[in-house]
């Protein structure tokens, strides 16, 4: 992050099934319809099991995103 701040949410690929990846035809087969910052558990009840990792970056910070993690 060069300037300002930004918040990111990361999810491990072990929660792929809980994220409903590929469930909607209008999305890419590797995309999830679940909003990581305000998941709708009524529509996506399995998302309750997901462990979201929240990261807030400020100027001068960086984050390593492991392979296959969802952002």
């Amino acid at each position: 992050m060069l300037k300002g701040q930004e918040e990111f949410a990361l999810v491990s690929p072990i929660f792929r099934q809980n994220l409903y990846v590929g469930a909607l035809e209008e999305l890419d087969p590797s995309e999830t319809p679940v909003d990581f910052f305000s998941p709708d558990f009524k529509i996506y009840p399995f998302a309750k099991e997901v462990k979201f990792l929240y990261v807030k970056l400020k100027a001068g910070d960086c984050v390593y995103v492991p392979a296959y993690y969802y952002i």
Side-chain angles (χ1 to χ4, degrees):
M1 179 67 59
L2 295 176
K3 183 178 175 182
Q5 63 182 16
E6 185 77 32
E7 189 169 352
F8 295 92
L10 303 165
V11 176
S12 170
I14 65 171
F15 295 108
R16 179 181 174 88
Q17 291 181 331
N18 299 79
L19 292 175
Y20 298 84
V21 174
L24 299 179
E25 290 183 19
E26 61 267 14
L27 294 177
D28 186 86
S30 63
E31 290 184 86
T32 176
V34 178
D35 180 355
F36 289 1
F37 291 100
S38 61
D40 188 342
F41 297 125
K42 289 181 183 176
I43 297 173
Y44 308 110
F46 295 127
K48 289 179 184 176
E49 304 299 319
V50 174
K51 304 292 185 211
F52 295 98
L53 301 172
Y54 296 101
V55 178
K56 185 179 281 188
L57 296 181
K58 297 179 183 174
D61 292 342
C62 67
V63 64
Y64 170 76
V65 180
Y68 307 110
Y69 265 61
Y70 295 93
I71 299 176

